[in-house]
PDB file of all heavy atoms in Angstrom:
ATOM      1  N   ASN A   1      35.447 105.952 -55.990  1.00 91.00           N
ATOM      2  CA  ASN A   1      34.778 107.130 -56.412  1.00 91.00           C
ATOM      3  C   ASN A   1      35.816 108.261 -56.813  1.00 91.00           C
ATOM      4  O   ASN A   1      35.675 109.415 -56.554  1.00 91.00           O
ATOM      5  CB  ASN A   1      33.886 107.786 -55.387  1.00 91.00           C
ATOM      6  CG  ASN A   1      32.641 108.475 -56.025  1.00 91.00           C
ATOM      7  OD1 ASN A   1      32.363 108.283 -57.117  1.00 91.00           O
ATOM      8  ND2 ASN A   1      31.985 109.252 -55.221  1.00 91.00           N
ATOM      9  N   GLN A   2      36.965 107.661 -57.422  1.00 93.00           N
ATOM     10  CA  GLN A   2      38.054 108.483 -57.910  1.00 93.00           C
ATOM     11  C   GLN A   2      38.101 108.331 -59.460  1.00 93.00           C
ATOM     12  O   GLN A   2      38.215 107.247 -59.886  1.00 93.00           O
ATOM     13  CB  GLN A   2      39.327 108.162 -57.257  1.00 93.00           C
ATOM     14  CG  GLN A   2      39.369 108.406 -55.768  1.00 93.00           C
ATOM     15  CD  GLN A   2      40.652 107.964 -55.221  1.00 93.00           C
ATOM     16  OE1 GLN A   2      41.362 107.018 -55.588  1.00 93.00           O
ATOM     17  NE2 GLN A   2      41.154 108.928 -54.141  1.00 93.00           N
ATOM     18  N   TYR A   3      38.193 109.433 -60.244  1.00 92.00           N
ATOM     19  CA  TYR A   3      38.229 109.548 -61.648  1.00 92.00           C
ATOM     20  C   TYR A   3      39.559 110.192 -62.019  1.00 92.00           C
ATOM     21  O   TYR A   3      39.984 111.164 -61.425  1.00 92.00           O
ATOM     22  CB  TYR A   3      37.108 110.289 -62.133  1.00 92.00           C
ATOM     23  CG  TYR A   3      35.703 109.702 -61.741  1.00 92.00           C
ATOM     24  CD1 TYR A   3      35.078 109.950 -60.609  1.00 92.00           C
ATOM     25  CD2 TYR A   3      35.174 108.892 -62.646  1.00 92.00           C
ATOM     26  CE1 TYR A   3      33.990 109.386 -60.176  1.00 92.00           C
ATOM     27  CE2 TYR A   3      33.973 108.299 -62.356  1.00 92.00           C
ATOM     28  CZ  TYR A   3      33.279 108.485 -61.096  1.00 92.00           C
ATOM     29  OH  TYR A   3      32.180 108.027 -60.793  1.00 92.00           O
ATOM     30  N   THR A   4      40.136 109.568 -63.079  1.00 90.00           N
ATOM     31  CA  THR A   4      41.462 109.890 -63.616  1.00 90.00           C
ATOM     32  C   THR A   4      41.332 110.576 -65.042  1.00 90.00           C
ATOM     33  O   THR A   4      40.610 109.923 -65.813  1.00 90.00           O
ATOM     34  CB  THR A   4      42.368 108.669 -63.570  1.00 90.00           C
ATOM     35  OG1 THR A   4      42.409 108.086 -62.360  1.00 90.00           O
ATOM     36  CG2 THR A   4      43.838 109.118 -63.980  1.00 90.00           C
ATOM     37  N   SER A   5      42.017 111.658 -65.248  1.00 89.00           N
ATOM     38  CA  SER A   5      41.859 112.231 -66.630  1.00 89.00           C
ATOM     39  C   SER A   5      43.209 113.007 -66.775  1.00 89.00           C
ATOM     40  O   SER A   5      43.793 113.497 -65.939  1.00 89.00           O
ATOM     41  CB  SER A   5      40.672 113.006 -66.853  1.00 89.00           C
ATOM     42  OG  SER A   5      40.722 114.083 -65.864  1.00 89.00           O
ATOM     43  N   ASN A   6      43.532 113.300 -68.134  1.00 88.00           N
ATOM     44  CA  ASN A   6      44.586 114.089 -68.423  1.00 88.00           C
ATOM     45  C   ASN A   6      44.057 115.524 -68.643  1.00 88.00           C
ATOM     46  O   ASN A   6      43.074 115.612 -69.237  1.00 88.00           O
ATOM     47  CB  ASN A   6      45.329 113.592 -69.605  1.00 88.00           C
ATOM     48  CG  ASN A   6      46.100 112.378 -69.365  1.00 88.00           C
ATOM     49  OD1 ASN A   6      46.455 112.012 -68.351  1.00 88.00           O
ATOM     50  ND2 ASN A   6      46.446 111.693 -70.382  1.00 88.00           N
ATOM     51  N   VAL A   7      44.783 116.423 -68.139  1.00 88.00           N
ATOM     52  CA  VAL A   7      44.355 117.868 -68.300  1.00 88.00           C
ATOM     53  C   VAL A   7      45.471 118.662 -68.883  1.00 88.00           C
ATOM     54  O   VAL A   7      46.663 118.296 -68.772  1.00 88.00           O
ATOM     55  CB  VAL A   7      43.859 118.531 -66.889  1.00 88.00           C
ATOM     56  CG1 VAL A   7      42.711 117.711 -66.343  1.00 88.00           C
ATOM     57  CG2 VAL A   7      44.996 118.469 -65.922  1.00 88.00           C
ATOM     58  N   GLU A   8      45.269 119.845 -69.326  1.00 85.00           N
ATOM     59  CA  GLU A   8      46.188 120.843 -69.931  1.00 85.00           C
ATOM     60  C   GLU A   8      47.096 121.163 -68.660  1.00 85.00           C
ATOM     61  O   GLU A   8      46.694 121.414 -67.648  1.00 85.00           O
ATOM     62  CB  GLU A   8      45.668 122.108 -70.285  1.00 85.00           C
ATOM     63  CG  GLU A   8      44.688 121.923 -71.532  1.00 85.00           C
ATOM     64  CD  GLU A   8      45.509 121.675 -72.735  1.00 85.00           C
ATOM     65  OE1 GLU A   8      46.715 122.139 -72.897  1.00 85.00           O
ATOM     66  OE2 GLU A   8      44.889 121.141 -73.850  1.00 85.00           O
ATOM     67  N   SER A   9      48.423 121.238 -69.035  1.00 81.00           N
ATOM     68  CA  SER A   9      49.386 121.506 -67.846  1.00 81.00           C
ATOM     69  C   SER A   9      49.383 122.987 -67.356  1.00 81.00           C
ATOM     70  O   SER A   9      49.569 123.282 -66.283  1.00 81.00           O
ATOM     71  CB  SER A   9      50.840 121.279 -68.334  1.00 81.00           C
ATOM     72  OG  SER A   9      51.121 122.176 -69.513  1.00 81.00           O
ATOM     73  N   GLY A  10      48.792 123.882 -68.148  1.00 83.00           N
ATOM     74  CA  GLY A  10      48.558 125.251 -67.737  1.00 83.00           C
ATOM     75  C   GLY A  10      47.346 125.514 -66.904  1.00 83.00           C
ATOM     76  O   GLY A  10      47.221 126.548 -66.324  1.00 83.00           O
ATOM     77  N   SER A  11      46.533 124.590 -66.790  1.00 84.00           N
ATOM     78  CA  SER A  11      45.316 124.712 -66.027  1.00 84.00           C
ATOM     79  C   SER A  11      45.554 124.442 -64.492  1.00 84.00           C
ATOM     80  O   SER A  11      46.305 123.638 -64.090  1.00 84.00           O
ATOM     81  CB  SER A  11      44.210 123.602 -66.361  1.00 84.00           C
ATOM     82  OG  SER A  11      43.901 123.712 -67.754  1.00 84.00           O
ATOM     83  N   THR A  12      44.932 125.397 -63.723  1.00 86.00           N
ATOM     84  CA  THR A  12      45.111 125.208 -62.218  1.00 86.00           C
ATOM     85  C   THR A  12      44.194 124.227 -61.612  1.00 86.00           C
ATOM     86  O   THR A  12      43.144 123.863 -62.171  1.00 86.00           O
ATOM     87  CB  THR A  12      44.974 126.545 -61.507  1.00 86.00           C
ATOM     88  OG1 THR A  12      43.624 126.969 -61.676  1.00 86.00           O
ATOM     89  CG2 THR A  12      45.894 127.628 -62.066  1.00 86.00           C
ATOM     90  N   ARG A  13      44.484 123.772 -60.428  1.00 89.00           N
ATOM     91  CA  ARG A  13      43.560 122.827 -59.695  1.00 89.00           C
ATOM     92  C   ARG A  13      42.150 123.483 -59.506  1.00 89.00           C
ATOM     93  O   ARG A  13      41.215 122.869 -59.593  1.00 89.00           O
ATOM     94  CB  ARG A  13      44.094 122.544 -58.389  1.00 89.00           C
ATOM     95  CG  ARG A  13      45.291 121.658 -58.336  1.00 89.00           C
ATOM     96  CD  ARG A  13      45.812 121.577 -56.973  1.00 89.00           C
ATOM     97  NE  ARG A  13      46.899 120.583 -57.011  1.00 89.00           N
ATOM     98  CZ  ARG A  13      46.844 119.379 -56.253  1.00 89.00           C
ATOM     99  NH1 ARG A  13      45.785 119.000 -55.625  1.00 89.00           N
ATOM    100  NH2 ARG A  13      47.841 118.559 -56.358  1.00 89.00           N
ATOM    101  N   THR A  14      42.198 124.846 -59.194  1.00 90.00           N
ATOM    102  CA  THR A  14      40.865 125.611 -59.021  1.00 90.00           C
ATOM    103  C   THR A  14      40.048 125.555 -60.271  1.00 90.00           C
ATOM    104  O   THR A  14      38.817 125.362 -60.170  1.00 90.00           O
ATOM    105  CB  THR A  14      41.162 126.978 -58.490  1.00 90.00           C
ATOM    106  OG1 THR A  14      42.051 126.939 -57.369  1.00 90.00           O
ATOM    107  CG2 THR A  14      39.920 127.632 -58.101  1.00 90.00           C
ATOM    108  N   GLU A  15      40.623 125.858 -61.357  1.00 89.00           N
ATOM    109  CA  GLU A  15      39.976 125.841 -62.669  1.00 89.00           C
ATOM    110  C   GLU A  15      39.306 124.449 -62.963  1.00 89.00           C
ATOM    111  O   GLU A  15      38.188 124.401 -63.315  1.00 89.00           O
ATOM    112  CB  GLU A  15      40.887 126.195 -63.720  1.00 89.00           C
ATOM    113  CG  GLU A  15      41.278 127.573 -63.836  1.00 89.00           C
ATOM    114  CD  GLU A  15      42.354 128.015 -64.824  1.00 89.00           C
ATOM    115  OE1 GLU A  15      42.973 127.024 -65.390  1.00 89.00           O
ATOM    116  OE2 GLU A  15      42.466 129.052 -65.162  1.00 89.00           O
ATOM    117  N   ILE A  16      40.184 123.404 -62.737  1.00 88.00           N
ATOM    118  CA  ILE A  16      39.704 121.933 -63.067  1.00 88.00           C
ATOM    119  C   ILE A  16      38.514 121.664 -62.128  1.00 88.00           C
ATOM    120  O   ILE A  16      37.605 121.086 -62.570  1.00 88.00           O
ATOM    121  CB  ILE A  16      40.966 120.970 -62.904  1.00 88.00           C
ATOM    122  CG1 ILE A  16      42.011 121.354 -64.057  1.00 88.00           C
ATOM    123  CG2 ILE A  16      40.334 119.651 -63.142  1.00 88.00           C
ATOM    124  CD1 ILE A  16      41.592 121.208 -65.438  1.00 88.00           C
ATOM    125  N   LYS A  17      38.704 121.891 -60.931  1.00 90.00           N
ATOM    126  CA  LYS A  17      37.640 121.593 -59.925  1.00 90.00           C
ATOM    127  C   LYS A  17      36.340 122.374 -60.263  1.00 90.00           C
ATOM    128  O   LYS A  17      35.352 121.838 -60.290  1.00 90.00           O
ATOM    129  CB  LYS A  17      38.052 122.029 -58.551  1.00 90.00           C
ATOM    130  CG  LYS A  17      37.004 121.749 -57.457  1.00 90.00           C
ATOM    131  CD  LYS A  17      37.481 122.108 -56.058  1.00 90.00           C
ATOM    132  CE  LYS A  17      36.429 121.913 -55.059  1.00 90.00           C
ATOM    133  NZ  LYS A  17      36.864 122.201 -53.733  1.00 90.00           N
ATOM    134  N   HIS A  18      36.396 123.624 -60.708  1.00 91.00           N
ATOM    135  CA  HIS A  18      35.306 124.425 -61.137  1.00 91.00           C
ATOM    136  C   HIS A  18      34.633 123.818 -62.360  1.00 91.00           C
ATOM    137  O   HIS A  18      33.442 123.679 -62.265  1.00 91.00           O
ATOM    138  CB  HIS A  18      35.688 125.800 -61.317  1.00 91.00           C
ATOM    139  CG  HIS A  18      34.541 126.712 -61.774  1.00 91.00           C
ATOM    140  ND1 HIS A  18      33.572 127.061 -60.976  1.00 91.00           N
ATOM    141  CD2 HIS A  18      34.297 127.281 -62.963  1.00 91.00           C
ATOM    142  CE1 HIS A  18      32.649 127.892 -61.616  1.00 91.00           C
ATOM    143  NE2 HIS A  18      33.034 127.942 -62.797  1.00 91.00           N
ATOM    144  N   TRP A  19      35.454 123.363 -63.327  1.00 88.00           N
ATOM    145  CA  TRP A  19      34.896 122.870 -64.635  1.00 88.00           C
ATOM    146  C   TRP A  19      34.166 121.549 -64.260  1.00 88.00           C
ATOM    147  O   TRP A  19      33.085 121.375 -64.790  1.00 88.00           O
ATOM    148  CB  TRP A  19      36.081 122.506 -65.575  1.00 88.00           C
ATOM    149  CG  TRP A  19      36.560 123.824 -66.121  1.00 88.00           C
ATOM    150  CD1 TRP A  19      36.024 124.996 -66.312  1.00 88.00           C
ATOM    151  CD2 TRP A  19      37.889 123.963 -66.621  1.00 88.00           C
ATOM    152  NE1 TRP A  19      36.834 125.905 -66.950  1.00 88.00           N
ATOM    153  CE2 TRP A  19      38.016 125.282 -67.227  1.00 88.00           C
ATOM    154  CE3 TRP A  19      39.071 123.126 -66.822  1.00 88.00           C
ATOM    155  CZ2 TRP A  19      39.107 125.716 -67.809  1.00 88.00           C
ATOM    156  CZ3 TRP A  19      40.190 123.571 -67.420  1.00 88.00           C
ATOM    157  CH2 TRP A  19      40.240 124.852 -67.968  1.00 88.00           C
ATOM    158  N   VAL A  20      34.786 120.722 -63.385  1.00 89.00           N
ATOM    159  CA  VAL A  20      34.228 119.322 -63.148  1.00 89.00           C
ATOM    160  C   VAL A  20      32.849 119.550 -62.431  1.00 89.00           C
ATOM    161  O   VAL A  20      31.834 118.945 -62.689  1.00 89.00           O
ATOM    162  CB  VAL A  20      35.175 118.446 -62.379  1.00 89.00           C
ATOM    163  CG1 VAL A  20      34.549 117.231 -61.795  1.00 89.00           C
ATOM    164  CG2 VAL A  20      36.320 118.064 -63.203  1.00 89.00           C
ATOM    165  N   GLU A  21      32.879 120.464 -61.370  1.00 91.00           N
ATOM    166  CA  GLU A  21      31.651 120.616 -60.653  1.00 91.00           C
ATOM    167  C   GLU A  21      30.518 121.272 -61.450  1.00 91.00           C
ATOM    168  O   GLU A  21      29.376 120.894 -61.342  1.00 91.00           O
ATOM    169  CB  GLU A  21      31.974 121.486 -59.338  1.00 91.00           C
ATOM    170  CG  GLU A  21      32.768 120.760 -58.259  1.00 91.00           C
ATOM    171  CD  GLU A  21      33.066 121.594 -57.102  1.00 91.00           C
ATOM    172  OE1 GLU A  21      32.894 122.874 -57.122  1.00 91.00           O
ATOM    173  OE2 GLU A  21      33.330 120.896 -56.080  1.00 91.00           O
ATOM    174  N   LEU A  22      30.955 122.259 -62.280  1.00 91.00           N
ATOM    175  CA  LEU A  22      29.942 122.915 -63.065  1.00 91.00           C
ATOM    176  C   LEU A  22      29.400 121.984 -64.199  1.00 91.00           C
ATOM    177  O   LEU A  22      28.155 121.934 -64.417  1.00 91.00           O
ATOM    178  CB  LEU A  22      30.569 124.145 -63.682  1.00 91.00           C
ATOM    179  CG  LEU A  22      29.609 125.049 -64.409  1.00 91.00           C
ATOM    180  CD1 LEU A  22      28.621 125.748 -63.479  1.00 91.00           C
ATOM    181  CD2 LEU A  22      30.381 126.223 -65.076  1.00 91.00           C
ATOM    182  N   PHE A  23      30.265 121.375 -64.901  1.00 88.00           N
ATOM    183  CA  PHE A  23      29.890 120.566 -66.033  1.00 88.00           C
ATOM    184  C   PHE A  23      29.069 119.311 -65.685  1.00 88.00           C
ATOM    185  O   PHE A  23      28.104 118.902 -66.352  1.00 88.00           O
ATOM    186  CB  PHE A  23      31.013 120.245 -66.880  1.00 88.00           C
ATOM    187  CG  PHE A  23      30.701 119.580 -68.224  1.00 88.00           C
ATOM    188  CD1 PHE A  23      30.287 120.286 -69.194  1.00 88.00           C
ATOM    189  CD2 PHE A  23      30.910 118.216 -68.382  1.00 88.00           C
ATOM    190  CE1 PHE A  23      29.961 119.662 -70.487  1.00 88.00           C
ATOM    191  CE2 PHE A  23      30.625 117.633 -69.652  1.00 88.00           C
ATOM    192  CZ  PHE A  23      30.136 118.384 -70.689  1.00 88.00           C
ATOM    193  N   PHE A  24      29.525 118.571 -64.722  1.00 88.00           N
ATOM    194  CA  PHE A  24      28.962 117.264 -64.264  1.00 88.00           C
ATOM    195  C   PHE A  24      27.961 117.438 -63.123  1.00 88.00           C
ATOM    196  O   PHE A  24      27.267 116.448 -62.747  1.00 88.00           O
ATOM    197  CB  PHE A  24      30.011 116.324 -63.988  1.00 88.00           C
ATOM    198  CG  PHE A  24      30.949 115.898 -65.160  1.00 88.00           C
ATOM    199  CD1 PHE A  24      32.175 116.289 -65.058  1.00 88.00           C
ATOM    200  CD2 PHE A  24      30.418 115.169 -66.167  1.00 88.00           C
ATOM    201  CE1 PHE A  24      33.083 115.905 -66.228  1.00 88.00           C
ATOM    202  CE2 PHE A  24      31.191 114.747 -67.185  1.00 88.00           C
ATOM    203  CZ  PHE A  24      32.494 115.165 -67.205  1.00 88.00           C
ATOM    204  N   GLY A  25      27.930 118.552 -62.413  1.00 91.00           N
ATOM    205  CA  GLY A  25      27.044 118.658 -61.346  1.00 91.00           C
ATOM    206  C   GLY A  25      27.427 117.794 -60.067  1.00 91.00           C
ATOM    207  O   GLY A  25      26.519 117.307 -59.532  1.00 91.00           O
ATOM    208  N   VAL A  26      28.645 117.719 -59.877  1.00 93.00           N
ATOM    209  CA  VAL A  26      29.137 116.861 -58.802  1.00 93.00           C
ATOM    210  C   VAL A  26      29.863 117.818 -57.673  1.00 93.00           C
ATOM    211  O   VAL A  26      30.117 118.965 -57.956  1.00 93.00           O
ATOM    212  CB  VAL A  26      30.031 115.673 -59.242  1.00 93.00           C
ATOM    213  CG1 VAL A  26      29.233 114.795 -60.125  1.00 93.00           C
ATOM    214  CG2 VAL A  26      31.262 116.326 -59.898  1.00 93.00           C
ATOM    215  N   LYS A  27      30.235 117.115 -56.582  1.00 95.00           N
ATOM    216  CA  LYS A  27      30.938 117.843 -55.588  1.00 95.00           C
ATOM    217  C   LYS A  27      32.279 117.178 -55.418  1.00 95.00           C
ATOM    218  O   LYS A  27      32.493 115.933 -55.013  1.00 95.00           O
ATOM    219  CB  LYS A  27      30.152 117.798 -54.186  1.00 95.00           C
ATOM    220  CG  LYS A  27      30.986 118.494 -53.108  1.00 95.00           C
ATOM    221  CD  LYS A  27      30.965 119.948 -53.374  1.00 95.00           C
ATOM    222  CE  LYS A  27      31.534 120.616 -52.132  1.00 95.00           C
ATOM    223  NZ  LYS A  27      32.031 121.949 -52.362  1.00 95.00           N
ATOM    224  N   VAL A  28      33.394 117.895 -55.702  1.00 95.00           N
ATOM    225  CA  VAL A  28      34.770 117.426 -55.678  1.00 95.00           C
ATOM    226  C   VAL A  28      35.308 117.638 -54.241  1.00 95.00           C
ATOM    227  O   VAL A  28      35.233 118.672 -53.708  1.00 95.00           O
ATOM    228  CB  VAL A  28      35.634 118.096 -56.626  1.00 95.00           C
ATOM    229  CG1 VAL A  28      37.143 117.670 -56.558  1.00 95.00           C
ATOM    230  CG2 VAL A  28      35.170 117.900 -58.089  1.00 95.00           C
ATOM    231  N   ILE A  29      35.856 116.568 -53.598  1.00 95.00           N
ATOM    232  CA  ILE A  29      36.398 116.771 -52.255  1.00 95.00           C
ATOM    233  C   ILE A  29      37.933 116.621 -52.190  1.00 95.00           C
ATOM    234  O   ILE A  29      38.605 117.205 -51.320  1.00 95.00           O
ATOM    235  CB  ILE A  29      35.813 115.711 -51.202  1.00 95.00           C
ATOM    236  CG1 ILE A  29      36.116 114.272 -51.703  1.00 95.00           C
ATOM    237  CG2 ILE A  29      34.305 115.846 -51.034  1.00 95.00           C
ATOM    238  CD1 ILE A  29      35.700 113.221 -50.737  1.00 95.00           C
ATOM    239  N   ALA A  30      38.628 116.162 -53.247  1.00 94.00           N
ATOM    240  CA  ALA A  30      40.063 116.109 -53.237  1.00 94.00           C
ATOM    241  C   ALA A  30      40.534 115.916 -54.741  1.00 94.00           C
ATOM    242  O   ALA A  30      39.809 115.450 -55.628  1.00 94.00           O
ATOM    243  CB  ALA A  30      40.635 114.997 -52.427  1.00 94.00           C
ATOM    244  N   MET A  31      41.792 116.556 -55.017  1.00 93.00           N
ATOM    245  CA  MET A  31      42.343 116.424 -56.274  1.00 93.00           C
ATOM    246  C   MET A  31      43.805 116.237 -56.126  1.00 93.00           C
ATOM    247  O   MET A  31      44.493 116.920 -55.398  1.00 93.00           O
ATOM    248  CB  MET A  31      42.131 117.734 -57.072  1.00 93.00           C
ATOM    249  CG  MET A  31      40.639 117.987 -57.389  1.00 93.00           C
ATOM    250  SD  MET A  31      40.406 119.516 -58.317  1.00 93.00           S
ATOM    251  CE  MET A  31      41.201 119.138 -59.798  1.00 93.00           C
ATOM    252  N   ASN A  32      44.406 115.271 -56.889  1.00 91.00           N
ATOM    253  CA  ASN A  32      45.779 115.038 -56.810  1.00 91.00           C
ATOM    254  C   ASN A  32      46.195 115.119 -58.191  1.00 91.00           C
ATOM    255  O   ASN A  32      45.503 114.646 -59.167  1.00 91.00           O
ATOM    256  CB  ASN A  32      46.090 113.634 -56.268  1.00 91.00           C
ATOM    257  CG  ASN A  32      45.683 113.455 -54.808  1.00 91.00           C
ATOM    258  OD1 ASN A  32      45.803 114.421 -54.049  1.00 91.00           O
ATOM    259  ND2 ASN A  32      45.199 112.395 -54.496  1.00 91.00           N
ATOM    260  N   SER A  33      47.367 115.595 -58.508  1.00 87.00           N
ATOM    261  CA  SER A  33      47.938 115.653 -59.784  1.00 87.00           C
ATOM    262  C   SER A  33      49.375 115.439 -59.841  1.00 87.00           C
ATOM    263  O   SER A  33      50.175 115.542 -58.908  1.00 87.00           O
ATOM    264  CB  SER A  33      47.729 117.084 -60.467  1.00 87.00           C
ATOM    265  OG  SER A  33      48.498 118.117 -59.721  1.00 87.00           O
ATOM    266  N   HIS A  34      49.862 114.971 -61.086  1.00 83.00           N
ATOM    267  CA  HIS A  34      51.329 114.755 -61.222  1.00 83.00           C
ATOM    268  C   HIS A  34      51.598 114.816 -62.752  1.00 83.00           C
ATOM    269  O   HIS A  34      50.661 114.581 -63.536  1.00 83.00           O
ATOM    270  CB  HIS A  34      51.757 113.348 -60.741  1.00 83.00           C
ATOM    271  CG  HIS A  34      51.166 112.181 -61.429  1.00 83.00           C
ATOM    272  ND1 HIS A  34      49.962 111.703 -60.994  1.00 83.00           N
ATOM    273  CD2 HIS A  34      51.751 111.455 -62.376  1.00 83.00           C
ATOM    274  CE1 HIS A  34      49.691 110.672 -61.798  1.00 83.00           C
ATOM    275  NE2 HIS A  34      50.758 110.516 -62.623  1.00 83.00           N
ATOM    276  N   ARG A  35      52.725 115.144 -63.125  1.00 81.00           N
ATOM    277  CA  ARG A  35      53.312 115.335 -64.413  1.00 81.00           C
ATOM    278  C   ARG A  35      53.839 113.881 -64.786  1.00 81.00           C
ATOM    279  O   ARG A  35      54.446 113.208 -64.042  1.00 81.00           O
ATOM    280  CB  ARG A  35      54.425 116.365 -64.635  1.00 81.00           C
ATOM    281  CG  ARG A  35      53.818 117.755 -64.434  1.00 81.00           C
ATOM    282  CD  ARG A  35      54.789 118.722 -64.761  1.00 81.00           C
ATOM    283  NE  ARG A  35      55.183 118.574 -66.237  1.00 81.00           N
ATOM    284  CZ  ARG A  35      55.856 119.322 -66.890  1.00 81.00           C
ATOM    285  NH1 ARG A  35      56.440 120.387 -66.305  1.00 81.00           N
ATOM    286  NH2 ARG A  35      56.189 119.129 -68.098  1.00 81.00           N
ATOM    287  N   LEU A  36      53.500 113.394 -65.965  1.00 75.00           N
ATOM    288  CA  LEU A  36      53.919 112.117 -66.412  1.00 75.00           C
ATOM    289  C   LEU A  36      55.487 112.235 -66.729  1.00 75.00           C
ATOM    290  O   LEU A  36      55.948 113.173 -67.581  1.00 75.00           O
ATOM    291  CB  LEU A  36      53.194 111.764 -67.621  1.00 75.00           C
ATOM    292  CG  LEU A  36      51.646 111.657 -67.243  1.00 75.00           C
ATOM    293  CD1 LEU A  36      50.963 111.349 -68.654  1.00 75.00           C
ATOM    294  CD2 LEU A  36      51.407 110.532 -66.408  1.00 75.00           C
ATOM    295  N   GLY A  37      56.234 111.363 -66.199  1.00 67.00           N
ATOM    296  CA  GLY A  37      57.658 111.315 -66.402  1.00 67.00           C
ATOM    297  C   GLY A  37      58.246 109.975 -66.731  1.00 67.00           C
ATOM    298  O   GLY A  37      57.497 108.970 -66.651  1.00 67.00           O
ATOM    299  N   ARG A  38      59.395 109.873 -67.064  1.00 65.00           N
ATOM    300  CA  ARG A  38      60.013 108.678 -67.376  1.00 65.00           C
ATOM    301  C   ARG A  38      61.271 108.594 -66.705  1.00 65.00           C
ATOM    302  O   ARG A  38      62.153 109.471 -66.853  1.00 65.00           O
ATOM    303  CB  ARG A  38      60.135 108.466 -68.891  1.00 65.00           C
ATOM    304  CG  ARG A  38      60.669 107.358 -69.401  1.00 65.00           C
ATOM    305  CD  ARG A  38      60.656 107.194 -70.804  1.00 65.00           C
ATOM    306  NE  ARG A  38      59.420 107.288 -71.360  1.00 65.00           N
ATOM    307  CZ  ARG A  38      59.068 107.415 -72.564  1.00 65.00           C
ATOM    308  NH1 ARG A  38      59.939 107.299 -73.455  1.00 65.00           N
ATOM    309  NH2 ARG A  38      57.716 107.515 -72.957  1.00 65.00           N
ATOM    310  N   ARG A  39      61.542 107.472 -65.921  1.00 62.00           N
ATOM    311  CA  ARG A  39      62.869 107.360 -65.267  1.00 62.00           C
ATOM    312  C   ARG A  39      63.808 106.656 -66.088  1.00 62.00           C
ATOM    313  O   ARG A  39      63.592 105.608 -66.772  1.00 62.00           O
ATOM    314  CB  ARG A  39      62.645 106.428 -64.036  1.00 62.00           C
ATOM    315  CG  ARG A  39      64.017 106.414 -63.236  1.00 62.00           C
ATOM    316  CD  ARG A  39      63.715 106.024 -61.791  1.00 62.00           C
ATOM    317  NE  ARG A  39      63.034 106.892 -61.064  1.00 62.00           N
ATOM    318  CZ  ARG A  39      63.591 108.009 -60.475  1.00 62.00           C
ATOM    319  NH1 ARG A  39      64.838 108.356 -60.665  1.00 62.00           N
ATOM    320  NH2 ARG A  39      62.853 108.835 -59.783  1.00 62.00           N
ATOM    321  N   MET A  40      65.039 107.329 -66.218  1.00 66.00           N
ATOM    322  CA  MET A  40      66.133 106.813 -67.054  1.00 66.00           C
ATOM    323  C   MET A  40      67.306 106.744 -66.199  1.00 66.00           C
ATOM    324  O   MET A  40      68.163 107.682 -65.995  1.00 66.00           O
ATOM    325  CB  MET A  40      66.404 107.705 -68.222  1.00 66.00           C
ATOM    326  CG  MET A  40      65.309 107.897 -69.222  1.00 66.00           C
ATOM    327  SD  MET A  40      65.606 109.209 -70.504  1.00 66.00           S
ATOM    328  CE  MET A  40      64.828 110.550 -69.504  1.00 66.00           C
TER     329      MET A  40
END
């Protein structure tokens, strides 16, 4: 029951959680995020 999506880097976790709960009518219990990087 975990969904993965790319979001704007300027958006906060609180904003994303609010958008997901409001738009889809679901209850979010956890959020993890990371910036995509490349190891050289």
Side-chain angles (χ1 to χ4, degrees):
N1 213 19
Q2 295 178 322
Y3 296 84
T4 308
S5 62
N6 286 344
V7 299
E8 296 284 340
S9 63
S11 302
T12 64
R13 288 173 176 247
T14 307
E15 290 174 342
I16 299 297
K17 180 178 179 180
H18 178 71
W19 289 334
V20 170
E21 289 182 341
L22 187 66
F23 188 75
F24 294 110
V26 296
K27 181 67 177 163
V28 176
I29 58 173
M31 296 179 66
N32 298 319
S33 68
H34 66 276
R35 293 189 58 176
L36 301 175
R38 183 175 298 178
R39 183 160 296 281
M40 295 171 271

